[in-house]
Amino acid sequence: MLDLIIENGHIIDGSGAPRQRLDVGVQGDRIAAVGDLGQETARQRLDAAGRIVSPGFVDVHNHTDGWLLKVANFAPKTTQGITTEVLMADGISYAPVDQSTARDWIFYMRALDALLLEEYDGWHSVAEYMQRVDRASAQNAIAHIPYGNVRSMLAGYGDRPVDDFQMRLMVEEVTRGMEDGAVGLSTGLDYIGQCFASTDELVEVASAMAPYRGLYVSHIRYKKGTLAGVMEAVEIGRRAGVPVHISHMKATTPPDIEALLEYVDTVARNEVDFSFDVYPYLPGSTMLTYLLPFQVWVDGPLGVAAKLTEPDVRRDFARELASSKLENMHIAWLPGRENARHIGKTLDVYVAEVGKPPEDALCDLLIEENLAVLLVFHHGDDVLVRPFLAHDCYMMGSDGIYFPDSAVHPRLYGSAPRLLGPCVRDHQLFSLEDAVRKLSGYPSERFGLTERGVVREGYFADLVVFDSETVTDRATYEDPHQFAAGIDHVLVNGAAVVRDGVPVEDLPSPRPGRALKYRA
Ligand SMILES: [Zn+2]
């Protein structure tokens, strides 16, 4: 007898193949049967008439590393059907660390992810962190090796070139991470420490992954120009002999979009094994510290406050702010009670209220908030991201950032349903079968998730039941904390984590989500 039969639905299996009228039988944590199961017996039957049954979705770029330790059922994601999170994006996370850098990273990440200093309980390696993630929440997770953590631990935060000894230690650290099951190396070349990494350095570190076919996953040097950044990533992949994946790749003008996708089609995918992700929105979101000149980072996160008092730094910052539109950025979140009333305000309004020059107002705000200020940017039309979504090297990464009582980017709640609904029905960018593949089969294959991402007998029972007519995102910039519509049921390793559109709070213990290991 089966545990569960999901019957009368249409299966979209995640491979891109056309839908089929078939039932799915679940036994324990696996898909036990796919076919006509009308004669089979089961403890429970779920009627999926008029619904699609698909594999669980994979979010290949997110900032959920800490939330998975703190929240049993991370509803902004599970209610979209996301059953696996690929952690430790942008080269910045909570591991690997040593006693000293653990404090740095929890401090630095305060406006990006969940953890507080008092929650550090002594982990060092990525593997030790992932042991804590295993069975801690509703979702599965797999990790990158974040390069910022590796570099700061073994070569410091400064802008001097890495020496041979430091390089040897970094190569050992990356090798250990790959042995432990990481997907590959993530980099964030606009962020702390890594902004000083040279191309040659990145080639040498990435080469350590070649025996494992680890992925080089990069937030490229967007500040220096997207096309140049993608070209550098392709060069790194080619010289290191590893596949390349670009994080949140998009451009904001039609000529830039054309140039970028032409480069992808004529060069990138010929020179390396190439893919990319982006969330289906044009506007972005990141920490306010992102706008600071790179020089503030040379003494590490705890040295930044002192740098922000230096007149030179403020002068450089003023120059950078002169070219950005303050009215197009709003304060999405900050931790201080005193300043909480400013959440949701655009920076021009905030600056006017404080009555100081912009660079002084924002440097002082960063000092008051221990650097922890999250921004959302408003610029451009979502139409401009569509050519990327429609590209066949594209898979979904939400880049979602969560805080309660915040004005975060709606991509956190809406990325998957937006691909399944509006992008298929209204914009006709691709078929529903392709949308499901971009959310399940393709990322599972790319990020080495064994026996997941396709509805197939013997595979793990990560499953979503949704309504193709009504599925859509509901989160907006004004009102971001809105669950998707049309996602009815979500299973992770056979256990229900969303039932009738509602996140399940009484999850079995240990919880269903597992820490996964990469298999190329
Ligand atoms: Zn990024």
Side-chain angles (χ1 to χ4, degrees):
M1 182 154 61
L2 293 163
D3 289 331
L4 169 70
I5 293 176
I6 304 172
E7 56 192 1
N8 307 320
H10 280 83
I11 293 181
I12 292 182
D13 73 1
S15 71
R19 68 196 76 182
Q20 280 185 284
R21 231 308 286 128
L22 294 169
D23 307 322
V24 183
V26 175
Q27 180 80 58
D29 60 0
R30 301 272 183 166
I31 296 168
V34 179
D36 177 358
L37 305 179
Q39 304 304 312
E40 296 289 323
T41 56
R43 276 179 198 84
Q44 200 197 337
R45 308 184 90 90
L46 185 66
D47 184 16
R51 298 289 189 269
I52 301 295
V53 182
S54 79
F57 306 142
V58 180
D59 185 354
V60 304
H61 189 97
N62 58 70
H63 298 285
T64 310
D65 312 2
W67 291 112
L68 291 192
L69 292 187
K70 291 178 72 159
V71 178
N73 190 336
F74 191 57
K77 294 302 193 62
T78 54
T79 54
Q80 294 178 59
I82 294 170
T83 55
T84 299
E85 303 264 317
V86 182
L87 303 181
M88 305 198 178
D90 291 328
I92 53 180
S93 186
Y94 299 116
V97 289
D98 61 23
Q99 296 295 0
S100 150
T101 63
R103 182 185 56 180
D104 296 342
W105 285 99
I106 293 172
F107 180 85
Y108 173 77
M109 301 266 291
R110 183 71 178 100
L112 196 67
D113 210 326
L115 296 188
L116 305 174
L117 290 169
E118 60 264 34
E119 288 163 329
Y120 179 63
D121 73 2
W123 64 82
H124 295 287
S125 65
V126 171
E128 285 169 15
Y129 191 85
M130 293 306 285
Q131 276 166 16
R132 286 158 174 80
V133 169
D134 187 48
R135 301 287 191 147
S137 87
Q139 292 172 282
N140 303 312
I142 192 164
H144 297 107
I145 305 157
Y147 187 51
N149 295 70
V150 173
R151 195 182 200 270
S152 61
M153 182 169 69
L154 301 168
Y157 292 96
D159 54 1
R160 273 173 314 175
V162 167
D163 68 30
D164 290 352
F165 183 70
Q166 292 165 335
M167 179 54 73
R168 202 185 84 205
L169 297 179
M170 293 203 297
V171 164
E172 281 171 16
E173 185 65 33
V174 170
T175 303
R176 186 174 316 129
M178 293 310 300
E179 286 287 335
D180 287 343
V183 165
L185 189 70
S186 76
T187 62
L189 304 182
D190 289 324
Y191 288 111
I192 185 167
Q194 309 164 80
C195 56
F196 303 124
S198 70
T199 306
D200 288 344
E201 171 189 325
L202 292 163
V203 169
E204 203 167 342
V205 175
S207 299
M209 303 190 292
Y212 307 90
R213 266 193 72 71
L215 266 184
Y216 177 72
V217 179
S218 189
H219 167 131
I220 56 175
R221 298 185 212 271
Y222 285 101
K223 283 185 156 191
K224 292 195 173 160
T226 305
L227 180 56
V230 174
M231 290 168 83
E232 183 191 27
V234 169
E235 181 190 342
I236 291 164
R238 181 174 44 74
R239 289 171 57 194
V242 295
V244 173
H245 179 89
I246 308 291
S247 301
H248 42 62
M249 189 173 88
K250 59 183 173 180
T252 53
T253 67
D256 285 355
I257 293 168
E258 201 181 314
L260 198 50
L261 291 179
E262 164 140 5
Y263 175 76
V264 167
D265 287 328
T266 58
V267 182
R269 57 194 302 181
N270 298 321
E271 294 208 346
V272 292
D273 181 355
F274 185 84
S275 60
F276 65 89
D277 68 70
V278 69
Y279 40 94
Y281 302 76
L282 193 70
S285 173
T286 192
M287 300 178 280
L288 172 55
T289 55
Y290 188 81
L291 303 179
L292 294 171
F294 291 154
Q295 271 317 106
V296 302
W297 299 117
V298 294
D299 297 328
L302 299 173
V304 174
K307 295 268 174 219
L308 293 179
T309 63
E310 292 174 10
D312 287 8
V313 167
R314 292 200 175 197
R315 207 171 310 128
D316 289 350
F317 187 35
R319 208 171 299 132
E320 300 213 7
L321 287 175
S323 60
S324 36
K325 293 200 170 85
L326 298 184
E327 65 274 24
N328 284 351
M329 306 176 214
H330 78 244
I331 298 173
W333 182 80
L334 41 73
R337 294 279 170 96
E338 189 75 1
N339 286 324
R341 64 202 162 91
H342 299 303
I343 292 173
K345 286 181 190 163
T346 52
L347 291 186
D348 62 321
V349 170
Y350 174 74
V351 165
E353 273 186 36
V354 200
K356 299 180 203 168
E359 64 279 14
D360 291 331
L362 297 177
C363 284
D364 292 347
L365 178 64
L366 285 170
I367 294 168
E368 281 169 36
E369 296 299 329
N370 286 319
L371 310 189
V373 180
L374 179 68
L375 298 181
V376 169
F377 304 92
H378 304 252
H379 50 66
D381 193 320
D382 290 339
V383 166
L384 296 174
V385 82
R386 289 185 200 154
F388 295 92
L389 307 180
H391 197 277
D392 58 1
C393 294
Y394 167 75
M395 63 187 77
M396 206 286 290
S398 76
D399 210 355
I401 302 169
Y402 173 72
F403 289 98
D405 306 317
S406 66
V408 292
H409 195 301
R411 67 193 186 188
L412 170 72
Y413 288 84
S415 287
R418 186 174 265 212
L419 278 192
L420 295 170
C423 289
V424 171
R425 291 190 305 261
D426 307 334
H427 316 315
Q428 289 161 356
L429 298 184
F430 30 67
S431 66
L432 186 60
E433 282 79 356
D434 284 338
V436 168
R437 179 173 174 272
K438 286 169 184 296
L439 283 160
S440 58
Y442 187 27
S444 295
E445 193 189 310
R446 188 65 168 164
F447 285 75
L449 309 181
T450 317
E451 295 173 320
R452 293 181 197 271
V454 181
V455 180
R456 187 173 295 164
E457 215 172 286
Y459 273 39
F460 287 96
D462 294 347
L463 295 165
V464 183
V465 178
F466 67 94
D467 184 340
S468 63
E469 302 295 316
T470 62
V471 63
T472 195
D473 57 300
R474 293 171 59 239
T476 62
Y477 295 92
E478 295 72 33
D479 199 359
H481 298 278
Q482 300 293 322
F483 293 151
I487 309 275
D488 298 319
H489 303 282
V490 182
L491 272 70
V492 175
N493 296 311
V497 304
V498 172
R499 204 179 275 133
D500 296 315
V502 178
V504 175
E505 291 307 331
D506 56 338
L507 290 168
S509 183
R511 292 177 185 136
R514 297 180 191 165
L516 308 179
K517 290 191 163 141
Y518 179 72
R519 194 192 287 169

